C-alpha cells in the first residue's frame, strides 16, 4: 500500500539567533530553534518563557473592572444567607469551573447549589427554565461559569425577578452593545479588559479561578484554598485545550506539580483509575491530563450526566470518589466504542464512495451524515450516531484525509433509549425526513476557516457557532443538498485547492537520529507545559533505514511499531493508527516527537512518529517558511500628558497651533495655523484633533510623544475595517519576495491597518516575523474594530501620568 500524501511545513532555520538563545539559556541550539518557531526570539523572552515566574503579573482587580463588585455581591450573599446558584455547562471547562466555585463557596460558608443545562434538550448556557427554577427556590444570586455573555434574555428575566447575575465567561462578546446582558457584573477577558493583558487567553475555568482566589482573599482563606483551586484550574485548562501561553502557561506549570501530589480526593481517585499514577514520580505533563484524565471527564459531558464530575471533584470521601471515578472510566469506554463504531462506518463509506469515483481532493470538503452512510452500507444494526461524540470522529477524519469534515447526526439520533430505528438500505424506500433536523460537528484545516464557512451557509441553517478550527450547527434535513452546494461555493471563494487536501504536519527542525538521547528529551522537557499554542517539538530525519516493522493493537485499530537505524545503534518508534500502511519502504523520511518509554526500572527514548514520506518526496509536500525583516520602532517616552475631550464638546475656536490627524480627515474644515498628519518635531502644538484614532496604540504614542499637545479632541468617526478577503488581497499585492525590509509602522499608517493585523496576515502566508504573538487574522481585524470604538475615558486613562 502507498504511503498517504502529507504536507510538511518546515520552519526555516535561524542558526545565529538560535546559538545566541542557546548560549543565554543553556538550551541546545536545536531546542533554541524550536523557541524561535514559537515566536520566542530574544534571550530575554526565552528566559521568561522557561521560567514564567520571572514575569510581573498584574493585580487582576486592576484588569477586570467588575471583579471587586463581584466579590462584594458574593460576600453580601454569604453573610446574609442568600441562596446562590452556579449555572455551569456540560463541557469540561464548564464542569471544572462549577466544581471550583462550589468548593470555594462551601468552604466560605455559602448556601450554594448548581444547575447544568441538558445537552440533549436545552443546549448551551443559562436559560429561562434555569432562571425560573432559581426564582421558585427563592434564589437571590446566579453565577454563570463558562457561559452567559450572550444570554441577554435569560439574564434580563433574572434581573426583572430581582435575582442578581454575575457572568463569568470567556466567549466572544456580542458586537451590538445592546445585546450585552444586563448583569450585575461581567467577568470576561474579552469584555472591558485590555486585549494585551496577560489574562486575555484564560478559559472559563481561568475566570472562575481568579474570582475564587480573590474571594478567598476577602475571607482570609487563601492559604486553605489556593492549591486545590490551582489543581482544578490546571485540569480544566488542559482538558479544554486552552492555549498554554501567557498566564495559562505560568499557572499550569505550577499546577502540574501540585497534581502529581494531589490533595483533591476526586482527582486522586481519577488518577488511580486511569493508570497514570506512575507519572506522579516524575511530575505530570499535559499529555497525562489530555490523554488520561481529560477524556474521562469529557466522556461524562458528552454522553453521561455532568453531576458525576461535579460530585467527583467536590466530594470528601474516598469511597464515593472511587465509585464516581469508576463510572467515568466506564462511560469513557462506552464513548470509545461509539467513536470506533462511527469512525469505522465513516471510513467504509468513504472508501466505497472513492471506489465509485468520489475524489476528496476535488470535492475539498467531507460531508457525512449517519442516515446517508448507513443507507449505503450493509449494516445489521443501524443506529443513529450520538451527536455527543461525532466531533471527536470529525477530528480523526481530518487527521486521516486532510480535508475539512462536516459530520452530522439526525437530531433524534442521540436518544440512547431508542436507537433501534430502521434505516432502509433502499434509497427508493427511505422514509420522508421532511421536518427533521441534522446536527453537525465541524473540524477544519489551516486554510479552511470553520466560523467563516458557517457564516456563509447561515441562510440555510439554524443555530450554530464556532471559531477558526471547529464549530457546530443544526440544519433542516431538506437543506442537505443546499449545504453541499454552499460548501462547494465557499471553498471556491476561499481558494481551497486540491493540493491543500492532505494531512498537514508542522515540523520544527532537522535532527540526526544519532543525536537523539535522554539528554535531548530532558532538554525538551524544559519547554513544558506543551499543548495548544506551545506544541511539542516535532523533529524530522531524512533517509532513515527501517530495521524491522510490525503492527500492534487489538481489534481493527492497528499501530505501526518500528526499529530504526541511528547509525550507531537502533531506536524504537511507534506510529499510532498507521498499521494499515505496513509494510512501509525500507528507507523513509520521518517526522516525530520524543517520548519516554518506561519498562520496569529502565527509561529510554522512543519516537512517536507523526509523519512518514518516501525519500526524496519533499519537493512537492513541504512548505518552507520564509523570514521577512521588519522595521518597527517603539514610541519615545511621553513627557507631556494631554487632556482629552470629545471634539463635539470642544470650545470654539479650537486653540492653535493645531495638528489634524485621522483616516479620511477633512482637507479644509480647519483653517489657520493647522498642520496635517505628521507633527513637526520642533513645533509646540496647543491641540491635536483626532478625526479618527490611529491604526494602533503605538501610532498614538508616537503622535503624543512628538506633538506634545495640551489637548486632544477626539472625533466620532470610525475608519472602515476591510474584510478578511479584502485584506488578504492587499497583502498579496505587496512584492514581498523583493522587499529587503518592511517598514511596519509606515505601511500600517498608509493602509490604516494595525501592525499586528499585517503581521498576522504575513504569518498566514508562511512568513516568519520577529514580532510579538498575534491573533488569527479575523481576531486582529475584530480587535481593530473594538479599538476604533473605544470610549474616550478608557483611552484617556491610558495616558494619565503616574
Amino acid at each position: 500500500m502507498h504511503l498517504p500524501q502529507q504536507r510538511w511545513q518546515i520552519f526555516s532555520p535561524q542558526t545565529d539567533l538560535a546559538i545566541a538563545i542557546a548560549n543565554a539559556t543553556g538550551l541546545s541550539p536545536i531546542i533554541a530553534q524550536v523557541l524561535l518557531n514559537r515566536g520566542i526570539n530574544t534571550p530575554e523572552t526565552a528566559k521568561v518563557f522557561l521560567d514564567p515566574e520571572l514575569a510581573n503579573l498584574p493585580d487582576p482587580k486592576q484588569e477586570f473592572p467588575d471583579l471587586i463588585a463581584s466579590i462584594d455581591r458574593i460576600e453580601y450573599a454569604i453573610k446574609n444567607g442568600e441562596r446562590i446558584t452556579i449555572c455551569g455547562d456540560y463541557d469540561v471547562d464548564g464542569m471544572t469551573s462549577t466544581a471550583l466555585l462550589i468548593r470555594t463557596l462551601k468552604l466560605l460558608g455559602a448556601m450554594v447549589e448548581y444547575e447544568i443545562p441538558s445537552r440533549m434538550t436545552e443546549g448551551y448556557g443559562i436559560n429561562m427554565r434555569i432562571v425560573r427554577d432559581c426564582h421558585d427556590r427563592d434564589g437571590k444570586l446566579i453565577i454563570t461559569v463558562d457561559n452567559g455573555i450572550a444570554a441577554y434574555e435569560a439574564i434580563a428575566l433574572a434581573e426583572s425577578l430581582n435575582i442578581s447575575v454575575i457572568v463569568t465567561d470567556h466567549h466572544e462578546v456580542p458586537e451590538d452593545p445592546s445585546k450585552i446582558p444586563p448583569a450585575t457584573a461581567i467577568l470576561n477577558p474579552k469584555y472591558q479588559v485590555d486585549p494585551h493583558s496577560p489574562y486575555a487567553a484564560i478559559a472559563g475555568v481561568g475566570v472562575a479561578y481568579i474570582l475564587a482566589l480573590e474571594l478567598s482573599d476577602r475571607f482570609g482563606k487563601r492559604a486553605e484554598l489556593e492549591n486545590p483551586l490551582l489543581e482544578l484550574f490546571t485540569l480544566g485548562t488542559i482538558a479544554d485545550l486552552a492555549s498554554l501561553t501567557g498566564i495559562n502557561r505560568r499557572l499550569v506549570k505550577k499546577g502540574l506539580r501540585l497534581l502529581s501530589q494531589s490533595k483533591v480526593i476526586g482527582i486522586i481517585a481519577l488518577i488511580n483509575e486511569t493508570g497514570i499514577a506512575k507519572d506522579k514520580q516524575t511530575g505530570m505533563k499535559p499529555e497525562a491530563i489530555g490523554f488520561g484524565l481529560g477524556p474521562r471527564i469529557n466522556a461524562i459531558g458528552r454522553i453521561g450526566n455532568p453531576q458525576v464530575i461535579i460530585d467527583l471533584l467536590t466530594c470528601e470521601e474516598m469511597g464515593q470518589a472511587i465509585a464516581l471515578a469508576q463510572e467515568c472510566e466506564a462511560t469513557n469506554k462506552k464513548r470509545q466504542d461509539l467513536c470506533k463504531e462511527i469512525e469505522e462506518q465513516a471510513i467504509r463509506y468513504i472508501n466505497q464512495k472513492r471506489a465509485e469515483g468520489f475524489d476528496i481532493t476535488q470535492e475539498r470538503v467531507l460531508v457525512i451524515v449517519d442516515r446517508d452512510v448507513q443507507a449505503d452500507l450493509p449494516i445489521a444494526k443501524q443506529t443513529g450516531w450520538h451527536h455527543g461524540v461525532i466531533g471527536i470522529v470529525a477530528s480523526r477524519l481530518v487527521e486521516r484525509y486532510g480535508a475539512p469534515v462536516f459530520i452530522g447526526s439526525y437530531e433524534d439520533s442521540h436518544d440512547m433509549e431508542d436507537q433501534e430505528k430502521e434505516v432502509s438500505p433502499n434509497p427508493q424506500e427511505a422514509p420522508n425526513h421532511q421536518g427533521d433536523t441534522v446536527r453537525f460537528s465541524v473540524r477544519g484545516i489551516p486554510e479552511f476557516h470553520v466560523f467563516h464557512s458557517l457564516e456563509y451557509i447561515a441562510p440555510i441553517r439554524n443555530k450554530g457557532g464556532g471559531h477558526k478550527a471547529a464549530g457546530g450547527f443544526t440544519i433542516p434535513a431538506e437543506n442537505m443538498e443546499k449545504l453541499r452546494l454552499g460548501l462547494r461555493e465557499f471553498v471556491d471563494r476561499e481558494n481551497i485547492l486540491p493540493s491543500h487536501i492532505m494531512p498537514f504536519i508542522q515540523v520544527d527542525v532537522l535532527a540526526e537520529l544519532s543525536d537523539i538521547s535522554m539528554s535531548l528529551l530532558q532538554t525538551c522537557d524544559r519547554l513544558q507545559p506543551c499543548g495548544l499554542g506551545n506544541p511539542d517539538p516535532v523533529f524530522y530525519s531524512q533517509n532513515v533505514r527501517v530495521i524491522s516493522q510490525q503492527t500492534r493493537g487489538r481489534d481493527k485499530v492497528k499501530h505501526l511499531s518500528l526499529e530504526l537505524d541511528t547509525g550507531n545503534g537502533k531506536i524504537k518508534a511507534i506510529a499510532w493508527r498507521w498499521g494499515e500502511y505496513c509494510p512501509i519502504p525500507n528507507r523513509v523520511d520521518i517526522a516525530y516527537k520524543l517520548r519516554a518509554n518506561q519498562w520496569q526500572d529502565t527509561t529510554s527514548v522512543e519516537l512517536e512518529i507523526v509523519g512518514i514520506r518516501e525519500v526524496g518526496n519533499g519537493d512537492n509536500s513541504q512548505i518552507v517558511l520564509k523570514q521577512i525583516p521588519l522595521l518597527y520602532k517603539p514610541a519615545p517616552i511621553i513627557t507631556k500628558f494631554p487632556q482629552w475631550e470629545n471634539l463635539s464638546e470642544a470650545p470654539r475656536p479650537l486653540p492653535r497651533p493645531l495638528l489634524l490627524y485621522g483616516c479620511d480627515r477633512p482637507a479644509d474644515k480647519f483653517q489657520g495655523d493647522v498642520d496635517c498628519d505628521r507633527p513637526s518635531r520642533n513645533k509646540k502644538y496647543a491641540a491635536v484633533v483626532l478625526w479618527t484614532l490611529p491604526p494602533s496604540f503605538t501610532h498614538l504614542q508616537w503622535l503624543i510623544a512628538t506633538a506634545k499637545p495640551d489637548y486632544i479632541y477626539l472625533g466620532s468617526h470610525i475608519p472602515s475595517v476591510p474584510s478578511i478577503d479584502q485584506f488578504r488581497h492587499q497583502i498579496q499585492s505587496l512584492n514581498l519576495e523583493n522587499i529587503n525590509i518592511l517598514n511596519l509602522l509606515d505601511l500600517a499608517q498608509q493602509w490604516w491597518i494595525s501592525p499586528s493585523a499585517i503581521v498576522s496576515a504575513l504569518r498566514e502566508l508562511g512568513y516568519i516575523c520577529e514580532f510579538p504573538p498575534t491573533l488569527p487574522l479575523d481576531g486582529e481585524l475584530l480587535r481593530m474594530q473594538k479599538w476604533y470604538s473605544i470610549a474616550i475615558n478608557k483611552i484617556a486613562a491610558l495616558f494619565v501620568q503616574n
Side-chain angles (χ1 to χ4, degrees), residues 66 70 103 159 225 266 348 401 419 562 594 598 626 650 683 721 732:
D66 285 357
S70 301
R103 292 184 69 98
E159 294 293 325
L225 278 165
R348 285 173 57 198
Y401 298 109
Q419 290 202 346
L562 305 171
L594 303 186
Q598 293 180 330
K626 305 169 284 287
K683 189 170 185 178
V721 175
Q732 289 168 346

Side-chain angles (χ1 to χ4, degrees), residues 259-275:
L259 280 172
S260 298
Q261 302 171 350
S262 180
K263 299 295 189 292
V264 177
I265 298 295
I267 293 178
I268 295 171
L270 198 57
I271 286 174
N272 291 334
E273 183 66 31
T274 57

Side-chain angles (χ1 to χ4, degrees), residues 699-720:
H699 284 89
L700 182 58
Q701 289 176 301
W702 267 101
L703 195 65
I704 295 174
T706 307
K708 300 182 178 66
D710 297 315
Y711 294 91
I712 291 182
Y713 301 114
L714 180 61
S716 59
H717 301 270
I718 296 177
S720 61

Side-chain angles (χ1 to χ4, degrees), residues 71 95 134 139 242 255 278 330 352 389 508 510 574 678 748 771:
I71 297 169
M95 290 187 291
C134 180
K278 62 180 184 298
Q352 180 174 303
V389 301
D508 281 299
L510 176 68
I574 184 72
R678 290 183 178 273
F771 194 82

